[in-house]
Amino acid sequence: MKTSNDPRHQHRINLMQALFSYSFNDQRSHKTIDTILEKIPDIDQKIEKAAPEWPIAKIAKIDTAILRLAVFELLYKKQEPIKVIIDEAVELAKEFGNDQSAKFVNGVLGTLVKEVA
């Protein structure tokens, strides 16, 4: 697994892992995810609209966690440039997902950005 000295990248990893864990046990292990969890219904709707052939329940849980974090950052947090958020999400998918995760995450986020722009 790749390590990074960038505290922002590590923070994203921590949030993604908390969201991933939440998908299994419905417990909040990281206080920052509360803000994200409040937006999950809207975030999931946006993901499903960008990938209509992939309902949330069919997407790998790690990919779902990465997408939820990225969509939250793109639509609600808005502190980083779009390209940075997408690049970070793709990197997380490469680090933690399967062989297809990075391509899938990039495609969903690319479609979402085109639709909301």
Side-chain angles (χ1 to χ4, degrees), residues 1-75:
M1 180 167 52
K2 179 179 138 182
T3 59
S4 174
N5 293 331
D6 183 355
R8 294 171 297 183
H9 182 70
Q10 187 58 52
H11 182 68
R12 282 188 178 96
I13 289 172
N14 294 343
L15 288 174
M16 180 267 308
Q17 289 173 332
L19 286 168
F20 179 71
S21 175
Y22 181 81
S23 69
F24 288 100
N25 64 22
D26 202 19
Q27 292 181 341
R28 294 173 168 128
S29 60
H30 196 285
K31 64 181 179 182
T32 309
I33 72 164
D34 287 344
T35 308
I36 299 170
L37 293 175
E38 291 172 7
K39 308 289 187 193
I40 290 292
D42 187 49
I43 290 171
D44 286 356
Q45 180 183 19
K46 301 267 193 270
I47 293 169
E48 287 183 335
K49 186 175 180 189
E53 65 282 359
W54 288 97
I56 289 293
K58 298 281 186 188
I59 300 172
K61 290 189 183 306
I62 194 69
D63 294 347
T64 301
I66 293 166
L67 286 168
R68 284 174 170 169
L69 176 59
V71 172
F72 175 78
E73 288 186 346
L74 286 167
L75 300 180

